[in-house]
Amino acid sequence: MNTSGGFEPATLRTAPRCRYRILVIDNEPAIARLFGRILGREHDLQSCLDVDEACDLIRRGATFDVILCDLLMPGKSGPDFYRYVARFAPDLCDRIVFITGAICLASTREFLDALPNVTLAKPFSRGALTTVVSDIGARAIAAAAKPQGFSSSRRSFSS
């Protein structure tokens, strides 16, 4: 697991500015609006208030450069979404950034420790969020531009 809530953005090299397609999955409308205020001017955002709605988008062929997914939600949660994407759109798995305020829960740690995905632990800074979006988005664009048959290496954030 790569928790990036504690790093300072100045310590990371960010990719040149690019407009990314971002999916926000969070059951709290206020959180989705917050992401919209922080990221909406520079990126194209789509929000879903539950995992079923997000899975329906993926099922219909929607693709995103970055997916910001709350880990714990009522009903289906972040792990449910990840398992769906792994089965039906595995090329999107490494674009998922998990967001959680429950990093101390054993079930949360177990799930996150098993994955290479970036995790933003609440509270995180605006700079941490924009840096993660830039990095994941740049990797998504680079992966899409690579000829078939090449594998991409994953870089990750560390605290």
Side-chain angles (χ1 to χ4, degrees), residues 92-135:
L92 298 180
C93 282
D94 61 350
R95 300 175 188 190
I96 300 172
V97 176
F98 292 105
I99 299 171
T100 186
I103 204 79
C104 296
L105 292 176
S107 60
T108 299
R109 300 276 322 168
E110 184 178 307
F111 173 75
L112 294 173
D113 285 346
L115 299 175
N117 295 65
V118 172
T119 300
L120 283 174
K122 295 176 186 176
F124 51 85
S125 69
R126 172 187 292 252
L129 175 63
T130 57
T131 297
V132 166
V133 165
S134 290
D135 187 71

Side-chain angles (χ1 to χ4, degrees), residues 24-26 30-40 45 47 68 99 120 122 124 129:
V24 175
I25 308 165
D26 198 300
I31 300 296
R33 285 192 302 274
L34 174 66
F35 285 132
R37 282 194 304 274
I38 294 171
L39 301 169
L45 267 71
S47 297
L68 302 170
I99 299 171
L120 283 174
K122 295 176 186 176
F124 51 85
L129 175 63

Side-chain angles (χ1 to χ4, degrees), residues 3-128:
T3 303
S4 51
F7 70 80
E8 287 300 317
T11 63
L12 298 173
R13 277 183 53 172
T14 58
R17 293 256 180 224
C18 192
R19 192 163 190 92
Y20 300 121
R21 287 186 34 92
I22 301 172
L23 174 62
V24 175
I25 308 165
D26 198 300
N27 62 298
E28 296 182 45
I31 300 296
R33 285 192 302 274
L34 174 66
F35 285 132
R37 282 194 304 274
I38 294 171
L39 301 169
R41 289 184 183 185
E42 297 178 12
H43 305 288
D44 300 319
L45 267 71
Q46 183 159 0
S47 297
C48 294
L49 296 176
D50 62 50
V51 168
D52 286 331
E53 184 182 357
C55 289
D56 187 52
L57 283 173
I58 302 300
R59 182 186 56 75
R60 289 186 285 131
T63 187
F64 299 92
D65 302 309
V66 181
I67 301 171
L68 302 170
C69 183
D70 189 16
L71 196 63
L72 299 177
M73 295 177 273
K76 293 181 182 167
S77 62
D80 296 314
F81 177 73
Y82 184 86
R83 285 187 286 275
Y84 182 87
V85 171
R87 183 170 179 195
F88 295 105
D91 56 314
L92 298 180
C93 282
D94 61 350
R95 300 175 188 190
I96 300 172
V97 176
F98 292 105
I99 299 171
T100 186
I103 204 79
C104 296
L105 292 176
S107 60
T108 299
R109 300 276 322 168
E110 184 178 307
F111 173 75
L112 294 173
D113 285 346
L115 299 175
N117 295 65
V118 172
T119 300
L120 283 174
K122 295 176 186 176
F124 51 85
S125 69
R126 172 187 292 252

Side-chain angles (χ1 to χ4, degrees), residues 126-158:
R126 172 187 292 252
L129 175 63
T130 57
T131 297
V132 166
V133 165
S134 290
D135 187 71
I136 301 296
R139 284 193 274 152
I141 298 298
K146 283 189 179 181
Q148 295 294 337
F150 287 83
S151 65
S152 63
S153 62
R154 292 186 184 181
R155 289 185 345 196
S156 58
F157 290 99
S158 307

